[in-house]
């Protein structure tokens, strides 16, 4: 994507999703689709997101990349 443009897109939409009145399950589902879409466009600097440590965002990343987490659910 180039020059963290995916992170800017992710952060903009993640902010809206996280601040919305959606239930947690739907927030995770939207974030999963956003992550998959951006990664299909070569987004590779996910950890630079301002929201990377948010529990809901981490739940979405865990769904997309379970191998990024240890058996206790902690990011490796």
């Amino acid at each position: 994507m180039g020059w963290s443009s995916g992170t800017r897109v992710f952060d903009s939409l993640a902010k809206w999703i996280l601040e919305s009145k959606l239930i947690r399950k739907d927030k995770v589902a939207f974030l999963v689709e956003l992550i998959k879409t951006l990664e299909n466009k070569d987004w590779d600097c996910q950890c630079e997101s301002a929201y990377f440590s948010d529990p809901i965002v981490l739940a979405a990343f865990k769904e997309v990349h379970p191998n990024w987490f240890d058996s206790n659910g902690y990011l490796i």
Side-chain angles (χ1 to χ4, degrees), residues 11-58:
D11 282 357
S12 176
L13 289 169
K15 180 180 190 302
W16 181 88
I17 292 167
L18 293 169
E19 292 176 354
S20 74
K21 295 182 189 281
L22 294 168
I23 62 171
R24 186 180 200 281
K25 177 182 165 188
D26 290 342
K27 289 178 182 184
V28 171
F30 277 115
L31 288 166
V32 163
E33 290 307 312
L34 177 58
I35 291 164
K36 288 178 180 179
T37 300
L38 290 172
E39 288 180 347
N40 283 337
K41 298 294 182 191
D42 200 31
W43 182 41
D44 61 357
C45 49
Q46 300 89 330
C47 64
E48 294 177 5
S49 168
Y51 300 97
F52 190 72
S53 62
D54 182 279
I56 295 173
V57 172
L58 283 174

